[in-house]
Amino acid sequence: MTEKLSTCNLLQQTQVFLDGLFEWSWKDILVCLKSCGSFCNYADSSGLLDKLICALLAKIAQNSDISSFIAASSSTSSSPETASGFRPSSSYKNTPESIKPSSSSRAWWFDDVAILPPKIIEKLFQSLGAYGADNNSLILTRFLLHYLKVSAQRKANYNQTSSAAVNSKCEFGGLADTAVHGIILVGRKTFSCRALFWVLRIVSGFGLSKEYRLGLERLIGGMLDEATLDDLLVSGHDRGVYDVNLVIRLIRVFVKSEGVSVQKLKIAGRLIDKYLGEISPDQNLKISKFLGVAESLPDSARDCFDGAYRAIDIYLESHPSLSFEERSRLCRCLNYEKLSLGACKELAKNPKIPPRVAMQALMSQQSKITPPTPKPKPKQQCVNYEMIVYKGDADDEESLAEEGKMEETLNLQRMQWRVVELEKLCRQMKGQMSRMVKHNHVLATPTHARPLPRLC
């Protein structure tokens, strides 16, 4: 192949051919780069890959500002809206348009370069000095997010074996880390909470390292009060339908964040109660996970625990085989004093709630009941040799208030015992009816039959 054997041999022709790379068309360069994926190591060691990448960047530079690749477009002096094309917003559609490259913000070369294999993209970023922790360019970060999204769609179209999935994570892991590093640099100034959840869903399937995953979760957890229910419903990777462990970690980050006001805590509290109601029907959801979500927020995050009770009711309805101890344990996350009177009455009538829990809830309502202030009795003169001793308005009002509280307590206890008595009577009637149907007897009510006891 050398000139020693013959003039204008194959090696000389190849060198002349490669020297004209910069004259190639955009399409030819992409085709050649894509074909290098099958022998990437050889192409890299021979210098062919570097020449092709230089030709690719030269073509991009002819039609765009190549300085945006390396220039610190993530600098604090630049506007997040103009530098990155991401518009921070608190309201998004199901697909966050602020993060997806659109016709106005996506560079013209994104779709074309996205066809290249991950090893070539990794080499491209290394050539630019923007791989891993060296990535400080938002336009490259945006391209990586677009590239990973397209790759995820390709993976969904093919049924991969377990070994192929592991290899895919190894190939894309470095690119996912590079993208997340660029996101963490700009933080919430550029990305909304919903956009960050979108990023998390994309990069989770590509072997994201633990370090960068925790960094992304800290970023999301710090703005959890801006999230919606749809954002939290991230698919689970284990047996569960949803990734409950992720939500527990995000709540803990949010609670420990600096400058979290009581108002933000209450917004997050309402969101978490909705989330509990959504995940409760999951048959694989363990009680420990349910309580982990419910108890991660402090008591001050909820003005009312009605939402938590609704979620518990749904969980009990969906898990009828729970034991008495498990049902009692599930109710420990409730603050009975913060239940509304209507929810408390519903809880007391709920046959799935343990009686002791129902009694505690009813007793807690005693503090909410304000007895009517009695009118002071006028002093009376003793008549017919009888003397009435009057101790004063204050003592009389206190004694009447205590009597009112005791009477209210007794009424609540009577209500609970009536509910228990009704449940017992219903069980007896069901047993009698089942025995009568079993022996093919016709139910007849004789005139001398003893009437059912009145409970009220």
Side-chain angles (χ1 to χ4, degrees):
M1 294 174 61
T2 63
E3 297 298 308
K4 294 182 180 180
L5 186 62
S6 65
T7 59
C8 196
N9 206 342
L10 182 60
L11 183 59
Q12 178 66 24
Q13 294 182 33
T14 304
Q15 290 176 349
V16 173
F17 177 75
L18 293 179
D19 288 340
L21 278 176
F22 292 94
E23 303 298 328
W24 289 10
S25 68
W26 169 256
K27 183 178 179 181
D28 290 339
I29 295 174
L30 288 174
V31 171
C32 192
L33 272 172
K34 186 177 181 180
S35 64
C36 288
S38 57
F39 56 96
C40 186
N41 293 333
Y42 295 104
D44 189 16
S45 60
S46 64
L48 174 61
L49 198 55
D50 288 333
K51 291 182 179 180
L52 288 171
I53 289 176
C54 288
L56 180 74
L57 295 177
K59 291 293 182 181
I60 296 177
Q62 291 176 4
N63 298 276
S64 58
D65 184 12
I66 192 64
S67 63
S68 62
F69 273 34
I70 306 173
S73 59
S74 58
S75 64
T76 55
S77 61
S78 61
S79 169
E81 188 171 314
T82 58
S84 65
F86 298 108
R87 291 179 175 270
S89 174
S90 59
S91 59
Y92 289 87
K93 299 178 180 178
N94 291 334
T95 305
E97 297 296 334
S98 61
I99 189 74
K100 287 179 57 180
S102 61
S103 58
S104 59
S105 63
R106 181 176 60 196
W108 61 271
W109 49 271
F110 276 18
D111 289 330
D112 293 337
V113 179
I115 67 172
L116 299 178
K119 290 183 179 179
I120 305 298
I121 299 297
E122 185 174 322
K123 181 64 177 178
L124 171 63
F125 272 73
Q126 290 174 349
S127 301
L128 291 170
Y131 186 74
D134 296 326
N135 178 26
N136 61 356
S137 172
L138 277 178
I139 190 171
L140 292 178
T141 300
R142 288 172 48 225
F143 165 72
L144 274 182
L145 294 176
H146 176 69
Y147 180 75
L148 293 174
K149 185 198 72 170
V150 172
S151 301
Q153 292 173 348
R154 291 199 198 103
K155 287 172 57 179
N157 294 333
Y158 299 98
N159 294 325
Q160 291 186 338
T161 61
S162 58
S163 59
V166 172
N167 293 334
S168 177
K169 288 184 178 181
C170 294
E171 291 178 347
F172 288 91
L175 297 178
D177 290 348
T178 303
V180 173
H181 177 79
I183 292 171
I184 294 175
L185 283 182
V186 294
R188 66 177 64 191
K189 295 183 300 181
T190 304
F191 295 90
S192 70
C193 185
R194 182 156 201 179
L196 291 174
F197 270 106
W198 182 84
V199 171
L200 181 63
R201 285 179 169 90
I202 293 296
V203 299
S204 293
F206 289 106
L208 184 66
S209 65
K210 184 178 180 180
E211 176 187 358
Y212 283 106
R213 184 178 183 88
L214 291 177
L216 185 57
E217 289 180 2
R218 283 194 294 268
L219 197 59
I220 298 174
M223 49 201 307
L224 189 62
D225 58 302
E226 301 177 16
T228 63
L229 179 59
D230 290 337
D231 296 334
L232 297 182
L233 298 178
V234 179
S235 299
H237 301 289
D238 298 328
R239 295 179 58 190
V241 178
Y242 301 111
D243 193 349
V244 179
N245 291 329
L246 168 66
V247 176
I248 294 176
R249 294 195 299 268
L250 294 179
I251 296 174
R252 290 173 179 172
V253 171
F254 177 73
V255 172
K256 295 178 182 179
S257 300
E258 296 181 1
V260 178
S261 62
V262 178
Q263 182 180 2
K264 289 185 177 181
L265 277 175
K266 292 180 179 179
I267 293 174
R270 291 191 291 269
L271 173 64
I272 296 306
D273 286 347
K274 292 179 182 178
Y275 177 75
L276 286 172
E278 190 69 26
I279 66 174
S280 292
D282 182 7
Q283 295 296 317
N284 294 320
L285 180 64
K286 298 180 180 179
I287 294 179
S288 59
K289 299 297 182 184
F290 184 97
L291 292 175
V293 176
E295 296 178 342
S296 295
L297 285 171
D299 193 72
S300 58
R302 294 182 176 95
D303 288 328
C304 181
F305 273 73
D306 288 9
Y309 166 68
R310 308 295 180 202
I312 289 176
D313 187 35
I314 296 173
Y315 189 91
L316 293 174
E317 188 72 28
S318 305
H319 301 75
S321 61
L322 293 179
S323 64
F324 178 85
E325 290 76 11
E326 289 174 329
R327 287 183 284 136
S328 300
R329 179 186 169 200
L330 186 65
C331 295
R332 78 182 189 190
C333 64
L334 291 176
N335 185 341
Y336 305 125
E337 295 181 356
K338 287 190 175 184
L339 283 173
S340 65
L341 185 59
C344 190
K345 290 180 179 179
E346 183 178 340
L347 183 148
K349 297 177 183 178
N350 193 335
K352 300 182 290 294
I353 299 294
R356 180 178 298 178
V357 174
M359 178 64 73
Q360 291 176 353
L362 289 172
M363 292 292 294
S364 67
Q365 297 297 314
Q366 176 183 350
S367 60
K368 294 183 179 181
I369 300 173
T370 304
T373 305
K375 296 180 180 180
K377 297 180 180 180
K379 295 183 180 180
Q380 299 179 1
Q381 298 290 335
C382 56
V383 183
N384 296 330
Y385 305 100
E386 292 182 4
M387 178 179 291
I388 300 177
V389 180
Y390 188 73
K391 295 183 179 181
D393 294 345
D395 293 342
D396 192 34
E397 289 179 4
E398 291 178 359
S399 62
L400 288 174
E402 292 178 358
E403 291 178 3
K405 291 181 180 179
M406 292 177 62
E407 184 178 357
E408 191 63 34
T409 301
L410 291 174
N411 289 336
L412 292 173
Q413 291 178 348
R414 292 191 190 102
M415 182 189 303
Q416 177 63 22
W417 286 116
R418 287 173 182 173
V419 171
V420 175
E421 223 174 334
L422 281 172
E423 292 176 348
K424 183 178 179 181
L425 181 60
C426 288
R427 287 194 296 268
Q428 292 176 352
M429 292 177 66
K430 288 180 180 178
Q432 292 176 1
M433 292 178 66
S434 62
R435 286 194 296 270
M436 294 173 73
V437 171
K438 184 177 180 181
H439 294 88
N440 296 325
H441 288 307
V442 179
L443 182 62
T445 306
T447 55
H448 60 280
R450 181 179 179 183
L452 293 174
R454 296 184 60 185
L455 300 178
C456 301

